[in-house]
Amino acid sequence: MDQYSKRPRSQAWEHFTVLHGESKVRCRICSQRLTFAGNTSSMLRHLRAKHPSSSALCTLGSQHTGPVPSGKQREVDEAVLNMIIKDLQPFSIVEDEGFRAFVESLDPSCIIPTSKALKNMVHEKYQEAKRKTVGELEEVKFVSLTADMWTSVNMDVCLGMTCHYITEKSELDTALLGVKKLSQTHRAEDIKEAKTAMLSDWGLSGKVNCLVTHNAANMIAYADLLQVRHVPCFAHTLNSLVKKAMAQTDGLQGIRHRTRQIVGLLKASTTAQERLSNMQDQMGMQKMKLVQEVEARWSSTFLMLQRIHQLREPVGAVLATLKTDITPLSSAEYDTVKYCLSVLAPFFHAATELSEEKRVSASKVIPIITMIQHNLTEKCALNHNQVASVLSSNLQRCLNVHYGGAESVNVLALATLLDPRFKTIAFGNPQHAQQAERSLIAECASLLPQSGPPHSLKGSSLQQLKMETSTDETPGPSATSSGKDSLWELLDSSVTEAQKVHSSTADAAAEVMRYLNSPYLPRTGDPLDFWRKHSAIYPHLFTLARKYLSMPASSVPCSHIFSKAGEIMCQKRNRLSPSTLEKILFLNKNL
């Protein structure tokens, strides 16, 4: 018997006809076709949305306890939409049998929106959220950008860009500007075209303070094309320099190789894992698992060495019971691991802080570098292990290569100076701190009212002065008087303007000195809260703080966006359009 020949239970079928072979139904009132997925939810939704005044709804009373109120239905739609966005669920979940049965058990009268309706709702919600963010960005004078690229499961190269700014309420906020598909070459010109379109779309042209990305050549070239200062991602650079220093330390490389083999052997065998667990019990130790390093992240190497050093006794006992050619680490090698871990610890703590904080300001770059250099110097003086000493020297050299001039980078220096937790005390070189003070005073003075830069008499040629003071060959009394006035006009105007500049510079210097001499904020304090409370006391510095403290230390926020993009654009959802992906990511970030 045909599955549709038997009269369905729902009375919604009185207003729809099944189109055999098409998996669709047609409304008998307006002839609109709807996709049929084995239930009547889309039909009921259509009747309520398109024919609310018809008698169709009256016939549904016998099926449900009563029609769902429009306000309640909006709440249901919003809840399902928020679940899709927050949990990154596919739209098709609303058509899954288990999900529908779950909702039916909660409220039989509930009408679940279709996947097509959800896509439309995502579009509407995105447009609403975007209008709100654009309105907020209109009030912002300065923004900082982070960018990154990602390859999807379809091998499409996508460019993502996030915007960081401080709101009128002195709160740090982030917005996803877009995720754009690039050509396979993804040259700097292609990146520029995509990013310029994003900046124009969001009304940010002329407001960009800096671009924070990894050190890829196309990103650096793009920053040059856009004439925006490029700031290397601190987290990415830190990861690269530590990996390079470890690779240059021969004694450590051999230990790493053997440790990887030991960890791989013990993690691959269930018998070995069970023996390791039992051995920890017998030794009265807390149960811990071995960690295998990931080549891309040096911090995983640190954790691998740290864990095998903690479990050196049970690991050695288990290896003795296994038939393997892998030689356990010796006592001297474990000592080397201990000293190397001590040298690497400051870098690990810095990487942990960068990853744990929701937003890390660029004001922390110089202080972290200063503290790492201080720790390396102290540990090098106390370290008597040869391998650890070589590692320490390699780290210091790599750190100087990448960040030896960090205190001279104007944007980083001003960000540090404007952070009330650090000010000048975080600088390792006092001369760099003084230079940063002068730059801050000059930029603060530029915000004060003045008529322009002073004219210099040295810049005026004799011929120019003659032209400015020239009169008729036979001047009359009035002309002589006029010529007398014009003789001193240039000097008098220059003196007046110089006084204005001097006054604005003095006022700026006074404001900067008052701020620098004020008490330091505790390191765990919130610098934006400080500026919120002191905006009236330091009005011009407050403007500069909003400019420089919005700059992130790394492009990690953009990397997090692509981590979520990988969860969304999976094998089951590889036909999702870039536009829909962009909207879901934006709402997920801002919901």
Side-chain angles (χ1 to χ4, degrees), residues 120 142 184 210 342 358 379 414 423 466 587:
N120 294 332
F142 308 104
Q184 291 297 326
C210 68
S342 176
K358 187 176 181 180
K379 293 179 185 300
L414 291 181
K423 299 183 185 178
K466 286 181 178 179
L587 293 173

Side-chain angles (χ1 to χ4, degrees), residues 163-345:
C163 167
H164 307 263
Y165 58 97
I166 295 178
T167 66
E168 289 295 319
K169 296 180 180 179
S170 299
E171 296 174 349
L172 187 60
D173 206 351
T174 302
L176 173 65
L177 299 186
V179 178
K180 302 299 181 184
K181 181 181 175 182
L182 299 177
S183 65
Q184 291 297 326
T185 57
H186 47 82
R187 302 169 302 166
E189 291 78 5
D190 300 327
I191 299 174
K192 178 186 177 182
E193 182 179 351
K195 288 188 176 180
T196 304
M198 290 187 210
L199 295 179
S200 177
D201 187 32
W202 289 85
L204 296 177
S205 300
K207 293 184 177 183
V208 179
N209 180 37
C210 68
L211 173 66
V212 182
T213 72
H214 53 73
N215 289 322
N218 52 5
M219 288 293 185
I220 298 174
Y222 164 69
D224 292 338
L225 290 174
L226 203 61
Q227 296 183 338
V228 173
R229 174 179 287 278
H230 176 263
V231 178
C233 169
F234 186 43
H236 182 270
T237 306
L238 203 64
N239 184 66
S240 298
L241 74 88
V242 177
K243 284 176 61 181
K244 184 177 180 180
M246 289 195 299
Q248 294 172 348
T249 308
D250 294 334
L252 181 60
Q253 284 296 90
I255 294 175
R256 284 178 62 190
H257 177 69
R258 298 241 311 284
T259 303
R260 282 196 299 267
Q261 288 182 319
I262 293 171
V263 173
L265 173 67
L266 297 182
K267 290 182 74 69
S269 169
T270 55
T271 301
Q273 291 182 39
E274 186 177 354
R275 289 182 184 179
L276 180 61
S277 177
N278 293 336
M279 193 63 67
Q280 291 179 70
D281 281 337
Q282 294 175 20
M283 294 182 177
M285 299 175 63
Q286 180 183 355
K287 285 189 178 181
M288 294 183 288
K289 294 183 179 181
L290 293 172
V291 177
Q292 184 63 282
E293 72 172 352
V294 178
E295 188 63 29
R297 297 196 303 272
W298 81 268
S299 57
S300 65
T301 304
F302 181 92
L303 293 173
M304 177 185 73
L305 295 175
Q306 183 186 58
R307 184 56 54 84
I308 200 165
H309 186 268
Q310 292 170 334
L311 299 178
R312 57 190 180 277
E313 293 181 358
V315 165
V318 171
L319 286 176
T321 65
L322 298 176
K323 294 180 179 181
T324 176
D325 296 332
I326 301 175
T327 307
L329 297 181
S330 66
S331 177
E333 287 173 324
Y334 274 121
D335 283 341
T336 297
V337 169
K338 181 180 70 172
Y339 285 111
C340 287
L341 288 174
S342 176
V343 171
L344 291 169

Side-chain angles (χ1 to χ4, degrees), residues 130-160:
K130 184 177 179 179
R131 282 193 296 269
K132 180 181 177 182
T133 305
V134 169
E136 196 172 65
L137 289 172
E138 287 179 354
E139 306 298 324
V140 175
K141 294 182 180 179
F142 308 104
V143 300
S144 299
L145 305 178
T146 63
D148 202 355
M149 288 189 293
W150 164 73
T151 303
S152 71
V153 293
N154 296 330
M155 300 307 293
D156 293 329
V157 179
C158 298
L159 170 71

Side-chain angles (χ1 to χ4, degrees), residues 6 18 57 84 157 265 299 310 319 341 367 384 411 432 438 462 472 491 494 538 556 558 568:
K6 184 178 179 181
V18 173
L57 294 178
I84 295 290
V157 179
L265 173 67
S299 57
Q310 292 170 334
L319 286 176
L341 288 174
H384 303 293
V411 289
H432 292 156
R438 290 192 290 269
L462 180 61
D472 293 337
L491 187 142
S494 298
Y538 313 112
V556 170
C558 209
I568 299 173

